Structure formats: C-alpha cells, structure tokens
Amino acid sequence: MIILGIETSCDETAAAVLKQDEKGRIQILSNVIASSAQLQSKYGGIIPEQAAREQLKSIIPVIKESLQVAGYRAQDVDAIAATYGPGLIGSLLVGIETAKTLSKVWQKPLIPVNHLIGHFYANWIDSRDSLLDHSLTRLGKNEKQATSNETPKFPAIGLLVSGGHTDLVLFKNHGKYEYLGGTRDDAAGECFDKCARLLGLPYPGGPEISKLASQGDSTVFNLPSPMIHSKDFDFSFSGLKTAVARIVDSGQVTGDSQKADLAAAIEKAIVDVIVQKTIAAAQKYKVEQIIVAGGVAANRKLVSDLNLKCQISNLKLFVPPPELCTDNGAMIAAAAFFIKPINHPLSIQANPNLSL
Ligand code: KG4
Ligand code: ZN
C-alpha cells in the first residue's frame, strides 16, 4: 500500500510517499519539505497570507518531487492523505484543495488527517534507520531507548508539544483516545518562541533557546514552572513569558552569559512541568508507554529528562527523530494507514479549529 501525504497547516509545504509492507511496517520512500521559515524569521513570526502565498507556489513542485524521489507515478499511489485542520485557514486550503483535486483527477481515495493526530504517527514510521543514526549521535547514549525502531502499543499516554498545542491524551487504540488536559493559554512551543523574541532571538525560537541554554546555568534566574503542583493535566505558559519579560525589562540581562543563563532557566521551567505531568498521567492511568510528538519534541533536554524519568518508572518512551517532530508529510501519510478514506472526497472542508 502506497500513500501520498500532504501537509500545509502552518508555514511548511510538505509531501511524502510512504509504503506499508506485508508485515505492516511503514517506510518512508520520500519526504520533501519546503519551508518559508527563513522568510518568516525576517518578520519575527508567521504572516498567514504570506505563508499561504508561498505554499501555493510550492505545492505542485513539492508533490512532484516526492513522487519522483520515491520512484513512483501518480497511478501507483493507493490513496492521498492531507491535513484538513487545525492550522492557518489559507495554508490548510492549499493542501486540502490540492488533495481533493488530485483525488478526483487520479481517481484515488482521499484520507483527511487531523494534524495533531498526524504528529503522533511519526512514531509508527519504521524506516527511521537513516534518521536514527543521526539522532543517536545527536542525543547520546542515555536517549537510545527513545529512538528505538519498534512501534508503540496501546494503551499509551500521548504528549503533544508543538507551536500551537500542549496536550496530554490517553490512547486506547487507533482512533480511540481520551483528552486528559492541555494548555489553558500559550502552548509550549509558543512560549519558547515568545521568550526567544524577548531575548532578541530569531523565529522559530525553540531551537535558538535550546542552543543558548546549553551554555547557560539554569539556576541563576528564578522562573516559575506554572501549574507544576496542580493535580490535573492542564498547563499554563503565559505567566512564564511575563516573568521573562519582567527580567528583560529590569535590565538584568546585559551580556551573552546572562542571556544564556536566562535561556537555560526558560528551557528548564518549560521542560520540568511537561515531564512531571506526563509521568504523572502514565502512573494515574497505569499505562506502560509514552508517545511524544510535535516540534518541541525535538528539544534535547525534554527528551533526555523524559527518558531518565521513564527509565526510573519502567516506562517505554517513543520520540520521533527530530526531523519527524516538526511538521512533515510523512507523519500525515503514516496516520492515514490507520484511517478509512472518506466516501465523498469533495465534501471535505478545511477546519482551522479542529481539535483532538
Ligand atoms: O509541530 P511544529 O513544527 O508546528 C506546529 O504544529 O506548531 O512545532 C513548531 C514549534 C515551534 O514553536 C518551535 O519553536 C518548536 O516547535 N521547536 C522547539 C525545538 N524545535 C522546534 N522547541 C524547543 N526546542 C527545540 N529544539
Ligand atoms: Zn505541527
């Protein structure tokens, strides 16, 4: 079974061709991503109209390239999968309307995928080998468990940490999940991005803060880990951003070394609360597996701390290689292997507010 996956929910235009073999293993044959992030970086964030305009230009070349690299023609594809929400409306429209058109013209089934669910399915991709070596070098010995090539088993706790979402869910099976809690205001990635902006770092801020943090001392500045002691599975990150703004405004950050210390404190405050609540959810619901997904899952400290806690609590941790944590078409195609095509492809509409 061959699926073409299309992803355009934010500033990426992505298409991938994935294959599921007789044993059920899902492998990447191609994974093409065109990003307008460099352009966005110039403006300190995403300008939705500009992102959609760039996506309109790249969508067909990206799909063509994904087929070419995979060595397949349109008629070899068994189904087309595309993100239909949540995300920026203009961006979503580019991907889903292209997918609808291709489905009609190529006479192929269409599988609409919730972007948030798609993120989790990066953990079901089997052909992570080429990416795996790179991840292991990057992560170090302690984190090997997190990048094993097995696929997750249910029940499992799902942690989604991205630019727009911080959610904990209980996965009971494919397509069967229960929402446990999430952020009440800013998402973890959003908090990284906003704090980075306060420190004068470019967008996207997560990787920038993380890079700086590795040279800093997280104990110099005292930042809150909001809601870390609350018994529920909700998060709140807007207070942290305000605390960072106050420190910056007070003139305490005068040089590179203070900047690195503050970055380390920000990273620690965000990571501590995520790790604590994720492990608590696994214990409360008595599951043995944790599946992590979303752009912030590319954060080295988050993976390292989660892995350490999982080892202590005998939990199995799944984290995609960094390349599959941020938005890509492969995760959308991977999810589609577990979702039925819809009967009337042309009836599907982009839904910017789609939830888990
Ligand atoms: O999942 P994603 O690519 O897009 C959304 O669906 O939102 O996530 C993007 C987010 C951005 O906020 C970015 O700053 C964050 O993921 N991110 C990171 C890292 N890499 C990406 N945050 C912390 N550390 C990283 N290494
Ligand atoms: Zn995403």
Side-chain angles (χ1 to χ4, degrees), residues 7 9-10 115-116 119 160 162-164 294-295 325-328 331:
E7 156 60 39
S9 66
C10 196
H115 177 80
L116 310 175
H119 266 299
L160 175 64
S162 69
C325 286
T326 44
D327 293 349
N328 62 83
M331 67 187 200

Side-chain angles (χ1 to χ4, degrees), residues 139-159:
L139 291 171
K141 214 165 122 234
N142 253 1
E143 287 126 287
K144 275 193 181 177
Q145 187 202 348
T147 52
S148 92
N149 220 356
E150 279 171 57
T151 51
K153 308 250 176 334
F154 301 112
I157 292 295
L159 165 71

Side-chain angles (χ1 to χ4, degrees), residues 50-347:
Q50 193 180 48
R53 226 176 294 131
E54 290 302 312
Q55 283 162 322
L56 211 48
K57 283 190 240 163
S58 347
I59 187 77
I60 299 298
V62 164
I63 292 173
K64 268 191 179 162
E65 193 181 328
S66 73
L67 286 167
Q68 200 177 6
V69 173
Y72 283 96
R73 294 157 304 168
Q75 57 261 47
D76 305 322
V77 168
D78 293 301
I80 301 163
T83 300
Y84 73 110
L88 303 169
I89 183 64
S91 297
L92 287 168
L93 281 170
V94 174
I96 196 72
E97 293 303 320
T98 304
K100 279 159 74 173
T101 310
L102 293 180
S103 152
K104 183 88 185 150
V105 175
W106 295 350
Q107 291 290 300
K108 301 287 178 186
L110 176 68
I111 305 173
V113 177
N114 179 326
H115 177 80
L116 310 175
I117 293 298
H119 266 299
F120 286 113
Y121 278 85
N123 288 295
W124 268 264
I125 295 171
D126 188 69
S127 65
R128 287 174 274 173
D129 359 357
S130 55
L131 302 168
L132 207 60
D133 290 343
H134 170 63
S135 305
L136 292 181
T137 328
R138 176 186 159 272
L139 291 171
K141 214 165 122 234
N142 253 1
E143 287 126 287
K144 275 193 181 177
Q145 187 202 348
T147 52
S148 92
N149 220 356
E150 279 171 57
T151 51
K153 308 250 176 334
F154 301 112
I157 292 295
L159 165 71
L160 175 64
V161 272
S162 69
H165 288 263
T166 307
D167 293 314
L168 277 167
V169 289
L170 173 62
F171 271 100
K172 296 172 183 171
N173 210 328
H174 295 293
K176 251 187 112 182
Y177 42 87
E178 184 185 323
Y179 179 79
L180 303 179
T183 185
R184 294 181 181 178
D185 39 61
D186 292 352
E190 193 178 355
C191 184
F192 269 114
D193 294 340
K194 285 180 175 171
C195 290
R197 203 172 174 168
L198 290 169
L199 289 179
L201 300 169
Y203 174 88
E208 299 291 330
I209 295 237
S210 183
K211 229 184 291 162
L212 250 188
S214 63
Q215 299 146 31
D217 175 354
S218 65
T219 62
V220 172
F221 292 101
N222 200 7
L223 287 175
S225 255
M227 297 184 71
I228 197 161
H229 299 300
S230 74
K231 293 272 175 275
D232 54 25
F233 298 112
D234 284 347
F235 300 86
S236 165
F237 291 107
S238 71
L240 177 60
K241 172 200 64 194
T242 311
V244 171
R246 219 170 283 136
I247 291 173
V248 172
D249 288 347
S250 71
Q252 293 175 64
V253 187
T254 47
D256 287 348
S257 127
Q258 284 105 329
K259 218 166 157 178
D261 292 341
L262 187 52
I266 294 165
E267 185 176 57
K268 183 177 181 339
I270 296 174
V271 166
D272 281 357
V273 66
I274 295 174
V275 171
Q276 164 113 352
K277 296 223 170 187
T278 307
I279 301 290
Q283 286 167 343
K284 176 167 177 189
Y285 292 93
K286 299 189 171 47
V287 307
E288 291 170 2
Q289 306 217 339
I290 291 175
I291 313 168
V292 187
V296 181
N299 184 276
R300 187 184 169 143
K301 181 171 168 57
L302 176 64
V303 177
S304 171
D305 288 9
L306 258 179
N307 200 47
L308 212 63
K309 286 277 162 46
C310 281
Q311 281 177 1
I312 293 167
S313 307
N314 232 347
L315 295 162
K316 186 145 184 64
L317 179 68
F318 287 88
V319 185
E323 292 83 348
L324 296 179
C325 286
T326 44
D327 293 349
N328 62 83
M331 67 187 200
I332 300 303
F337 286 108
F338 302 95
I339 304 171
K340 279 201 187 109
I342 50 159
N343 291 330
H344 304 287
L346 295 186
S347 67

